[in-house]
Amino acid sequence: MSGANSSSLTPDFFILNGVPGLEDAHVWISLPFCFMYMIAVVGNCGLIYLIGHEEALHRPMYYFLALLSFTDVTLCTTTVPNMLCIFWFNFKEIGFNSCLVQMFFVHMLTGMESGVLMLMALDRYVAICYPLRYTTILTNPVIAKAGLATFLRSVMLIFPFTVLTKRLPYCRGTLIPHTYCDHMSVAKVSCDNAKVNAIYGLMVALLIGVFDICCISVSYTMILRAVVSLSSADARHKAFSTCTSHICAIVITYVPAFFTFFTHRFGGHTIPHHIHIIVANLYLLLPPTMNPIVYGVKTKQIRESVIKFLLGDKMDTT
């Protein structure tokens, strides 16, 4: 068996095939992905710097946004550089252990992203329903513990992916029809039954995705009730406007996530495989690209801080 240890049936490496069926268009496909990645890195790093630099942004909402930006830029960095090497230089080989590491970080960070969105929904709930107690409830230690708990939840639930995948024997070759090491894409290369992997993956999706969406839904139901009860139309508009950025981030994150999840399990024979792969990459790239733009456009404090930062030197000299 090429590239494998015959005694253990554990391959030394896998071959990531990029987007199957569109190999001739790899260079053209890479251009929008590369452009989106540059926007994601610049936008998210800029947001993190701005939130750390501007004292006006030292509030719970922006701390969670900084955590989301860090998660997003780390997530797309785990996949995009390797994907561009496949598209541009035909560097398709990835070591077995490197593949498992990439798989762990991809799924751990997507779980982390979902958890941070849930925390941001709870932040909006406290800010709108308990405005006078907002800063006393969401203190810096509480924010740090919430972020740590979200991180540990993701690590503990995703780590078994690597154990379950590593134990499988691989005798069907080493070709993975994907641009990165996705859990089920790797498990399907195995010549053993991957049903345990599939069942555990579904359990993790329920424990992370469904739980977070339920918390987000409950938070926004309570927010909606509180906002509707306000007597002033201006107050209702102001309360809703503080949530629009977060709602956009939720839609941008969960719509491609649900598409990827359901088509992977129920639409395998009706949707072309290259559509699966492209949407799976958009699922990892679209939120990191769009979140800084959405928050920059929709959030007044961030807009003002950006203008102050860009024009700071000129304002000081006038």
Side-chain angles (χ1 to χ4, degrees):
M1 176 180 169
S2 176
N5 183 326
S6 59
S7 62
S8 64
L9 295 178
T10 298
D12 296 325
F13 58 82
F14 286 118
I15 303 296
L16 293 170
N17 200 33
V19 184
L22 297 177
E23 287 84 359
D24 294 339
H26 272 178
V27 173
W28 295 107
I29 295 171
S30 72
L31 297 180
F33 284 143
C34 181
F35 182 65
M36 291 172 69
Y37 178 61
M38 290 190 293
I39 293 175
V41 171
V42 173
N44 285 288
C45 290
L47 263 182
I48 294 170
Y49 175 79
L50 197 66
I51 292 168
H53 184 265
E54 290 294 328
E55 193 171 342
L57 300 180
H58 291 178
R59 297 174 59 193
M61 171 184 173
Y62 302 110
Y63 290 147
F64 287 128
L65 178 57
L67 181 58
L68 180 66
S69 293
F70 176 78
T71 303
D72 280 345
V73 76
T74 308
L75 173 60
C76 59
T77 300
T78 60
T79 58
V80 177
N82 188 63
M83 177 183 68
L84 294 178
C85 286
I86 295 171
F87 289 161
W88 291 344
F89 309 113
N90 209 35
F91 291 165
K92 297 183 177 183
E93 186 177 304
I94 183 171
F96 179 73
N97 289 327
S98 299
C99 184
L100 294 183
V101 170
Q102 185 187 54
M103 180 185 71
F104 168 76
F105 276 103
V106 166
H107 292 288
M108 186 273 288
L109 290 166
T110 52
M112 182 75 179
E113 183 180 49
S114 177
V116 175
L117 288 173
M118 177 195 66
L119 294 179
M120 295 174 79
L122 296 176
D123 166 79
R124 292 298 83 206
Y125 165 71
V126 174
I128 291 173
C129 297
Y130 302 98
L132 299 180
R133 298 171 56 195
Y134 178 57
T135 54
T136 57
I137 293 175
L138 291 177
T139 60
N140 287 347
V142 169
I143 294 169
K145 289 175 184 177
L148 180 61
T150 304
F151 171 74
L152 291 177
R153 179 193 70 164
S154 191
V155 168
M156 288 188 292
L157 288 175
I158 299 302
F159 182 74
F161 278 173
T162 59
V163 177
L164 291 172
T165 306
K166 192 177 180 67
R167 70 175 178 85
L168 293 171
Y170 296 90
C171 53
R172 292 180 180 171
T174 57
L175 185 66
I176 299 175
H178 214 304
T179 57
Y180 62 88
C181 291
D182 173 73
H183 172 228
M184 287 310 299
S185 296
V186 176
K188 285 179 179 179
V189 179
S190 167
C191 52
D192 198 1
N193 191 340
K195 185 178 288 187
V196 174
N197 294 64
I199 292 172
Y200 185 73
L202 184 60
M203 287 176 53
V204 170
L206 292 173
L207 289 172
I208 294 181
V210 174
F211 175 80
D212 290 348
I213 290 170
C214 288
C215 290
I216 291 169
S217 301
V218 170
S219 296
Y220 272 100
T221 300
M222 301 299 290
I223 288 170
L224 187 62
R225 289 178 58 187
V227 170
V228 169
S229 66
L230 295 174
S231 58
S232 168
D234 184 61
R236 288 197 295 269
H237 179 267
K238 185 177 180 181
F240 272 126
S241 66
T242 64
C243 299
T244 54
S245 301
H246 184 242
I247 293 172
C248 289
I250 291 169
V251 172
I252 291 167
T253 300
Y254 283 111
V255 168
F258 278 127
F259 180 88
T260 301
F261 181 81
F262 286 113
T263 56
H264 186 73
R265 284 159 178 78
F266 309 114
H269 301 294
T270 58
I271 299 175
H273 191 63
H274 65 268
I275 299 296
H276 284 274
I277 305 304
I278 291 173
V279 174
N281 281 280
L282 287 175
Y283 164 50
L284 300 183
L285 254 178
L286 194 61
T289 303
M290 295 303 298
N291 285 343
I293 297 173
V294 168
Y295 277 95
V297 171
K298 292 286 187 180
T299 309
K300 181 182 177 182
Q301 291 87 342
I302 292 178
R303 287 200 312 269
E304 291 176 348
S305 296
V306 170
I307 294 170
K308 179 183 174 183
F309 177 76
L310 294 176
L311 303 180
D313 294 337
K314 294 181 181 179
M315 292 173 65
D316 291 340
T317 58
T318 57

